[in-house]
Amino acid sequence: MLEGIDDNILDEIARIACGGDDYPVYRRAAELPKLLQQAGWENVAPYNGDQRRSWLTNQLRQRRNTPGAIDALVCRLADRREYVHRNEPLAAAEITKLLNSVLAIEGFEIAHSQGRPVIRPYKQPEDQEQQSPDVMLHVAMADIVRDADFAIVLEGRLNEARICDRNGAYASAIIMLGSLLEGVLLDAVKARMPNSEKPLDKWTLHDLIETAHREKWIQADVRGFAGKLREYRNLVHPNAQVKIGHAPDRDTVSMCWPVINAALNDLAATAT
């Protein structure tokens, strides 16, 4: 799909791949040929001592018209397997966001299917206000939850939250989102901490959020905002709304969706 893309886009891809400055992963010059080989390129030229980004940009330009070559490299950069040995579980998610901001200019984006990155055409929403508030969710429930039956249940909660939001049932939407967050984090604990002595029915949502952050399954921003979602999730108890002093509205729900999106994306990116 990415054959023939603009020189400036190739240069930005090379910049992201090389890293440094404010980019998530820094690659030494000697690592760049290996990156191309890991992407499936054959007959990769040895590094010749040029400046890192110049060398990599030149390699990309030489293969620009080779079917699938640029796609393969971009997918490798967005693949969490690329970062296992670096002990940087969130790098793939961060780099995917950077790459998507560049690829959108050419009309493409990276999506994840069954935990693996793929290139697909980017379609600008015809009416942004009419789109579901979770348009930035890049993963499917099956990418996160191992138990197929449980994944179906949680997908149902996600769909109910959408329906509630679209029809003005804002408190119900928030309760569904809180329930969804609790479910995916509980499944993560079950799958990733099989030797935990704490029974699953004893985990509170607060415990789940703190554990997910400590184990680096979710980032710090998700942890912070998830705490607020947890408070609003307690609106399932009518007296909690009295204590809060106001009823949730569209703005409240709009602040909760990014928390869910980020949590699901992070959990998918750090899954093994």
Side-chain angles (χ1 to χ4, degrees), residues 98-152:
L98 291 171
L99 289 169
N100 275 339
S101 68
V102 175
L103 293 176
I105 300 172
E106 290 279 358
F108 298 99
E109 65 180 352
I110 303 166
H112 285 79
S113 176
Q114 297 298 316
R116 296 289 177 261
V118 294
I119 306 296
R120 69 182 183 189
Y122 174 79
K123 184 177 181 180
Q124 178 70 32
E126 295 179 3
D127 185 348
Q128 187 67 36
E129 292 185 357
Q130 295 300 316
Q131 296 299 311
S132 170
D134 61 334
V135 293
M136 293 306 295
L137 179 61
H138 297 303
V139 295
M141 202 64 65
D143 295 328
I144 307 165
V145 179
R146 295 188 179 185
D147 186 314
D149 292 335
F150 195 41
I152 292 172

Side-chain angles (χ1 to χ4, degrees), residues 40-168:
W41 287 24
E42 297 180 352
N43 303 317
V44 175
Y47 180 68
N48 62 4
D50 286 349
Q51 193 268 347
R52 292 180 307 136
R53 200 173 100 215
S54 296
W55 182 87
L56 184 56
T57 299
N58 186 49
Q59 301 305 308
L60 298 184
R61 289 177 180 174
Q62 289 180 23
R63 307 261 183 147
R64 183 198 344 241
N65 296 316
T66 301
I70 306 300
D71 299 57
L73 173 62
V74 169
C75 286
R76 183 65 191 184
L77 288 170
D79 194 326
R80 61 176 180 264
R81 293 176 296 180
E82 172 67 17
Y83 307 98
V84 171
H85 70 289
R86 295 176 179 272
N87 194 29
E88 295 176 335
L90 303 180
E94 295 173 0
I95 287 177
T96 297
K97 293 176 184 178
L98 291 171
L99 289 169
N100 275 339
S101 68
V102 175
L103 293 176
I105 300 172
E106 290 279 358
F108 298 99
E109 65 180 352
I110 303 166
H112 285 79
S113 176
Q114 297 298 316
R116 296 289 177 261
V118 294
I119 306 296
R120 69 182 183 189
Y122 174 79
K123 184 177 181 180
Q124 178 70 32
E126 295 179 3
D127 185 348
Q128 187 67 36
E129 292 185 357
Q130 295 300 316
Q131 296 299 311
S132 170
D134 61 334
V135 293
M136 293 306 295
L137 179 61
H138 297 303
V139 295
M141 202 64 65
D143 295 328
I144 307 165
V145 179
R146 295 188 179 185
D147 186 314
D149 292 335
F150 195 41
I152 292 172
V153 171
L154 294 180
E155 188 71 39
R157 298 291 169 97
L158 181 62
N159 289 332
E160 286 188 35
R162 292 170 177 151
I163 293 170
C164 290
D165 184 22
R166 290 167 181 163
N167 290 278

